[in-house]
Amino acid sequence: MAQIARWQGRSVYAFTRSGDIAAQDFARQLGAVWAGASGELPDTPLDAAIIYAPAGELVPAALPAVRKGGKVVCAEIHMSDIPSFPYDLLWEERQLVSVANLTRQDGLDFLKIAPQAGIRTRTTAFPLAEANEVLTKLRTGQILGAAVLKP
Amino acid sequence: MRYLGTTGVLAEKQAHAMMLSAPRAPLQMQERADPNPGDGQIRVKVSACGVCRTDLHVVDAELPGIKYPVVPGHEIVGRVDLVGSRVTTHRIGDRVGIPWLGYTCGVCRFCKEGMVNLCDRPLFTGYTRDGGFATHTIADARYAFPLGEDGDDVSIAPLLCAGLIGWRSLVMAGGGAARHLRLRCGRAHRGPDRALAGPVCLRLHAIR
């Protein structure tokens, strides 16, 4: 996502768990112009915020960071309860939305753009017969990047 | 078993799949009768299939409505090797990518209004229909996206889930033509590698 956003010429601001320096460094490597903790506010109001974490408390944390008319997108299927927050955070036509699934057109658009944007993925290939071992490795955090099975 | 594809070439290899037969059971490699595509479907010879955390949710039976046995896997890259009737969009040999959303009904109000992502009766690859932990899979031609020839199959596979979800998020965030749009990327509570693959998949798997 960060690679596509950069390719589109957007400025990406990455928010991570407090103190997760490795994640912030990784975000900068991917082209983020700013990386910090989710409790911080950058000096520029953002046009939109996308939350890739199942943590409801990030919603009232994200709303103050977006400009008037800006959007906060919750991209998780599951999220913990969102704490109550002052209406002022939503006022001035800020929008709060969730993502359910892709449309067919999204798929066609993205897969056409991905090669043009030079999207890089980090993968490790395994034989199909090792699927159980790969699932175990994924479960225990032993896979760097994405695991891919090859028949 | 041998089959005669529409190319007239005899295929020697029996189809195999890693099957999930019961909740939390180990996947088992099984020979399968050569699958044949129905109306609007294609058969794809799988060349790569990404593994993501949603596959763990399927194996662990943490998602409702799993119909056993099922073949997991929903980040599929492969080539069309058989085309069903009424398919005009794909040809044998085309490289395609098959994502989580594997079928939409086409008749509910959401489908009719172009919001297939909100279909009332969807099927999901590797969950409610067989997926890509296999040598071959059957796909709805509408949800087998053309990939062209750029890039290798393994590198592309994760794009079918994490990449698509990231894209959809950008679209939802107002990702139109504005080139100076600033984006808040809230990656809190996620490891750095996961930003590109892995559990990002979880976000978009609408099952209700």
Side-chain angles (χ1 to χ4, degrees):
Chain A
M1 194 282 296
Q3 295 178 67
I4 286 280
R6 286 292 304 131
W7 176 76
Q8 291 178 323
R10 301 162 195 260
S11 303
V12 175
Y13 292 68
F15 295 76
T16 74
R17 190 164 34 193
S18 179
D20 193 346
I21 303 302
Q24 292 170 13
D25 287 345
F26 185 70
R28 290 189 196 94
Q29 285 173 29
L30 289 178
V33 299
W34 182 95
S38 52
E40 296 179 49
L41 285 179
D43 55 10
T44 307
L46 309 179
D47 294 302
I50 302 175
I51 300 176
Y52 287 131
E57 66 268 24
L58 293 177
V59 171
L63 281 167
V66 300
R67 61 162 169 80
K68 289 184 280 189
K71 269 191 182 179
V72 173
V73 179
C74 301
E76 286 280 348
I77 179 172
H78 296 297
M79 188 175 246
S80 58
D81 287 355
I82 300 170
S84 69
F85 55 86
Y87 178 61
D88 280 356
L89 295 186
L90 188 62
W91 191 57
E92 294 172 320
E93 303 194 359
R94 290 178 183 84
Q95 298 176 61
L96 175 61
V97 297
S98 71
V99 174
N101 218 322
L102 67 144
T103 65
R104 191 169 167 276
Q105 194 60 48
D106 290 330
L108 294 171
D109 291 345
F110 173 68
L111 292 169
K112 191 173 177 182
I113 284 171
Q116 297 171 29
I119 300 298
R120 289 174 292 111
T121 56
R122 191 183 301 182
T123 55
T124 308
F126 299 89
L128 173 62
E130 293 180 16
N132 287 307
E133 291 78 6
V134 172
L135 288 170
T136 300
K137 286 180 177 174
L138 182 63
R139 195 187 295 280
T140 53
Q142 297 177 57
I143 300 225
L144 187 66
V148 178
L149 297 175
K150 284 181 67 70
Chain B
M1 191 182 297
R2 295 152 68 93
Y3 60 82
L4 185 64
T6 56
T7 54
V9 178
L10 279 173
E12 298 291 340
K13 194 174 178 182
Q14 169 77 43
H16 285 75
M18 293 296 283
M19 308 280 288
L20 175 69
S21 300
R24 291 172 290 284
L27 306 183
Q28 291 186 317
M29 181 72 86
Q30 293 186 4
E31 289 193 359
R32 313 178 76 200
D34 294 329
N36 283 309
D39 280 2
Q41 296 180 330
I42 56 173
R43 185 174 67 197
V44 173
K45 187 173 187 301
V46 178
S47 53
C49 185
V51 183
C52 96
R53 286 192 172 268
T54 300
D55 298 314
L56 287 179
H57 290 296
V58 171
V59 170
D60 293 343
E62 290 173 342
L63 300 176
I66 299 173
K67 190 175 181 181
Y68 301 98
V70 66
V71 180
H74 57 274
E75 301 178 355
I76 305 169
V77 177
R79 289 192 184 271
V80 179
D81 84 336
L82 206 55
V83 176
S85 57
R86 299 186 200 172
V87 175
T88 58
T89 49
H90 295 70
R91 292 183 174 186
I92 289 172
D94 287 353
R95 189 167 70 152
V96 295
I98 303 166
W100 172 255
L101 183 60
Y103 166 86
T104 50
C105 74
V107 296
C108 73
R109 64 169 289 193
F110 298 102
C111 283
K112 284 182 174 175
E113 292 174 13
M115 295 182 284
V116 293
N117 54 318
L118 301 177
C119 173
D120 281 337
R121 286 174 291 277
L123 291 176
F124 298 105
T125 311
Y127 167 30
T128 55
R129 63 184 292 159
D130 284 340
F133 290 5
T135 55
H136 299 77
T137 193
I138 299 289
D140 185 317
R142 296 172 300 167
Y143 293 97
F145 300 130
L147 289 178
E149 298 297 330
D150 289 337
D152 69 276
D153 298 343
V154 168
S155 299
I156 289 171
L159 298 182
L160 271 301
C161 190
L164 279 173
I165 291 157
W167 174 254
R168 176 67 184 170
S169 306
L170 270 181
V171 171
M172 294 289 284
R179 294 186 64 81
H180 52 272
L181 186 72
R182 289 187 176 79
L183 190 79
R184 173 174 171 136
C185 169
R187 283 214 199 91
H189 313 289
R190 290 273 185 228
D193 295 316
R194 295 170 178 181
L196 278 183
V200 178
C201 301
L202 297 179
R203 290 177 286 107
L204 213 48
H205 294 172
I207 56 173
R208 289 184 290 276

